């Protein structure tokens, strides 16, 4: 019944008259939800994805940039008509919860413990749902904040093959919509086309927007970067911009941009609309360097190829045919911070 | 806890390995849902809205065109990666459930019973939710079909005042999206702007599409019709078309179109994209006749005015300042069918 979840959950209820109640960490158990509860009808639900890691040097548990998740959860909650949650309280509750569930993370008892690649993490899922038991479409007067956790497999061990969507037929997000918010309404509707992609042997959909311009937005539920050589011979990382509200302001996306700008000052990092045809042209003219998807669940997932309108466009994987060199480097930088191999402000120790 | 729901629910569970199970009508009660259940994270949820009425002539209970709801539920389920449900079984279960809950409908015991205007109905909510307790984004392997019912107030007794949305800022649905499906993902995201409209004193949002062309799509969660005199002096009903996938194929919408075409052959009924500026122009040139929203919950709701970019555009209400004449006539035609005053193929007797 409980799938791969751990055995505790953190729960706080809210009502519009009394605000947030007292948080409790309780045994993981089904939630008794009224069949008329808002969340089951009008998708008043939002969530975050985070991971907890055990420090390689100290054995202590760390989480990554939780302040960004706290802020984004509130933004998502606002977009889907749910109450906001205090940012500091969010981080305090994450710490309290992870301290209880840390035994789900491997620990050899000494500082030279080798983590099982990126497999050794605990996936954390803070979430808010609307629970008012009334069918009329209205802002919920009742809600619940929960944190649950799951031992997820590292499900992208091999490079991704992507199917570029057909934006005349299907669109993930649009300007003025809610593609930037981590709300359930962005995910369920993608499964129909994702199933189609999987039936053709692809790992994920590369979501395009605008039938003529075919702008690249996201890959599956992750952000997407392409790296190529520009006409003036610079190395450039390109990813979709946030301003149109069609892509998620990913914590990994932002961290990639910041690390590359800080540690590889010669490389250009550009947030702009770019088309899948520009990728094809870069492959044709041998300017392509690599591409990767990134997100908390995927981490840094190298891309091996993209099907664009029925044509297979191969993307180089220079490191043992498994990754691009930049993706490999950035992944290591992030792992060092996440697993506490280096001290860094982004790594927050829990206990 | 149970809000305004009645005291029974119908429940059928599904799994991808065994299909749909045996339906049960059980006491209304909270559903024990795993906190990782798909529906709480990825909005795998769809529903229908229907009403049951007691026949004025026979006292028997009737529902309206349930075959259309059965088909639409399956279309919605497919769009949101949920299993389909047999159409005939759907109707059989609606009958069985309504037969149990019919005591919630007033009944004087004689054939001249006067129903309390359109207040006297039982609102029925068939729904499907994804229940697989696993966090990875994937098609649910488990689902539940439910029917619940509610005594809803007739919440639009006065003509609606609409706030036309600003499509450069907010958009309800997009071609290639899912605006045509009755999925939760279409509803929760509208509440933010609906709250803004309510704070300015408006009943509902008139959702526009395309910042330049400002096409009218839906009003709140209902379809929208305008009636005007054309340049060649014909009376024309105009409503947004279905082909773009941005409006719901409403049962009331379809019934209005069919009844007007059948019973008012001189009147033109046009499904096409039309802009809110065309409405303003029709008001300016005194060609406007009336406008109304329609849907199962709203029924036929006359529109008193529309705020377009800050300008109040009044819409005529020739019948006692409460309704247009066409809206009143169509409403009566539909009531006659719903409440069994006339025999009609659209009215299906339940018991």
């Amino acid at each position: 019944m409980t799938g791969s979840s751990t055995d505790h959950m953190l729960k706080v209820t809210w009502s519009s008259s009394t605000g947030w109640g007292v948080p409790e960490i309780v045994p993981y158990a089904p939630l008794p939800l009224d069949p008329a509860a808002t969340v089951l009808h009008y998708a008043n639900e939002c969530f975050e994805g985070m991971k907890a890691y055990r420090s390689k040097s100290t054995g202590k548990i760390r989480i990554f940039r939780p302040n960004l998740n706290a802020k984004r959860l509130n933004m998502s909650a606002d977009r889907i008509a749910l109450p906001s949650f205090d940012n500091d309280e969010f981080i305090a509750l994450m710490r309290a919860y992870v301290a209880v569930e840390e035994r789900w993370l491997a620990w050899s008892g000494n500082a030279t413990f080798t983590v099982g690649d990126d497999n050794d993490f605990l996936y954390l899922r803070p979430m808010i749902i609307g629970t008012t038991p009334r069918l009329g479409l209205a802002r919920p007067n009742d809600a619940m904040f929960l944190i649950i956790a799951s031992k997820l497999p590292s499900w992208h061990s091999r490079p991704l093959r992507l199917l570029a969507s057909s934006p005349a037929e299907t669109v993930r997000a649009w300007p003025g919509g809610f593609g930037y918010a981590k709300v359930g309404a962005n995910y369920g509707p993608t499964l129909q086309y994702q199933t189609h992609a999987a039936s053709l042997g692809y790992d994920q959909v590369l979501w395009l927007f605008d039938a003529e311009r075919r702008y690249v937005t996201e890959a599956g539920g992750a952000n997407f970067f392409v790296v190529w050589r520009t006409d003036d011979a610079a190395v450039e990382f390109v990813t979709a911009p946030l301003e149109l509200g069609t892509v998620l302001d990913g914590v990994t996306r932002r961290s990639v941009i910041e690390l590359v700008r800080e540690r590889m000052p010669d490389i250009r990092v550009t947030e702009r609309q770019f088309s899948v045809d520009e990728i094809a042209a870069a492959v044709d003219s041998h300017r392509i360097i690599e591409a990767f998807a990134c997100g908390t669940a995927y981490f840094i997932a190298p891309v091996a190829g993209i099907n664009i309108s029925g044509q297979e466009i191969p993307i180089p994987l220079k490191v043992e045919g498994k990754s691009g060199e930049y993706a490999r480097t950035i992944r290591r930088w992030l792992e060092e911070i996440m697993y506490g191999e280096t001290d860094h402000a982004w790594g927050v120790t829990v206990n």
Side-chain angles (χ1 to χ4, degrees), chain A residues 32-349:
Chain A
L33 284 180
D34 192 283
T38 329
V39 65
L40 304 180
H41 299 265
Y42 308 122
N44 294 100
E45 59 198 58
C46 60
F47 65 89
E48 279 298 316
M50 298 169 71
K51 285 177 178 170
Y53 315 86
R54 189 178 295 278
S55 166
K56 286 191 181 189
S57 54
T58 65
K60 289 188 184 298
I61 305 298
R62 296 161 71 88
I63 52 180
F64 186 74
R65 309 187 81 176
N67 54 319
L68 297 181
N69 298 96
K71 278 173 66 176
R72 191 171 62 187
L73 185 69
N74 277 338
M75 177 276 290
S76 300
D78 184 56
R79 185 65 187 83
I80 204 71
L82 287 170
S84 65
F85 199 88
D86 182 78
N87 285 3
D88 293 336
E89 174 81 354
F90 174 90
I91 295 172
L93 294 185
M94 290 304 299
R95 284 172 181 268
Y97 176 73
V98 172
V100 169
E101 293 301 74
E102 69 150 298
R103 70 195 180 290
W104 291 84
L105 281 164
W107 170 234
S108 73
N110 70 65
T112 58
F113 172 66
T114 304
V115 295
D117 197 18
D118 64 326
N119 229 322
D120 193 46
F121 59 80
L122 188 62
Y123 182 82
L124 303 168
R125 174 59 60 94
M127 57 196 273
I128 307 178
I129 57 176
T131 56
T132 301
R134 192 189 53 224
L135 287 183
L137 177 62
R139 281 185 88 87
N141 288 321
D142 309 271
M144 199 182 283
F145 170 86
L146 292 154
I147 309 172
I148 61 174
S150 195
K151 282 299 280 185
L152 292 186
S154 176
W155 61 80
H156 292 291
S157 44
R158 63 194 166 80
L160 300 176
R161 293 178 63 240
L162 305 178
L163 176 67
S165 66
S166 165
E169 283 169 55
T170 187
V171 172
R172 192 196 80 94
W174 53 86
F178 41 89
Y180 59 88
K182 218 159 171 68
V183 296
N186 276 321
Y187 294 85
T190 67
L191 287 169
Q192 189 187 47
Y193 200 78
Q194 169 60 29
T195 303
H196 168 66
S199 76
L200 299 176
Y202 294 91
D203 299 299
Q204 285 295 343
V205 176
L206 184 64
W207 290 100
L208 305 187
F209 181 75
D210 193 322
E212 278 161 51
R213 297 191 184 87
R214 310 208 294 174
Y215 291 129
V216 173
T217 63
E218 293 195 357
N223 293 115
F224 177 86
F225 283 81
V226 61
V227 187
W228 55 36
R229 202 163 284 280
T230 62
D231 288 336
D232 56 343
V235 173
E236 185 182 42
F237 280 55
V238 185
T239 195
L242 303 178
E243 301 86 63
L244 301 166
T246 51
V247 303
L248 193 74
D249 182 2
V251 175
T252 313
R253 174 190 182 279
R254 193 190 285 208
S255 302
V256 167
I257 291 173
E258 292 172 4
L259 284 180
V260 172
R261 286 194 175 140
E262 181 194 313
R263 300 187 185 181
M264 297 175 169
D266 294 341
I267 286 175
R268 221 176 269 172
V269 184
T270 308
E271 297 169 73
R272 69 164 170 92
Q273 294 205 84
F274 66 104
S275 81
V276 79
D277 304 296
E278 289 181 70
I279 299 178
V283 171
D284 273 353
S285 58
H286 309 289
R287 292 182 296 102
I288 190 81
I289 297 173
E290 60 186 89
F292 57 90
C294 68
T296 297
Y298 284 44
F299 197 21
I300 304 286
V303 170
I306 308 172
N307 179 320
I308 305 175
S309 307
Q311 270 221 281
E312 295 287 340
I313 308 291
I315 305 289
L317 296 163
K318 293 214 172 149
V319 184
E320 301 163 8
K322 289 183 184 164
S323 174
E325 287 174 4
Y326 291 110
R328 176 60 56 101
T329 300
I330 294 164
R331 189 183 169 101
R332 274 302 301 150
W333 286 344
L334 287 168
E335 281 176 348
E336 282 167 8
I337 299 170
M338 291 163 171
Y339 287 98
E341 295 171 64
T342 50
D343 217 26
H344 194 285
W346 294 351
V348 173
T349 298

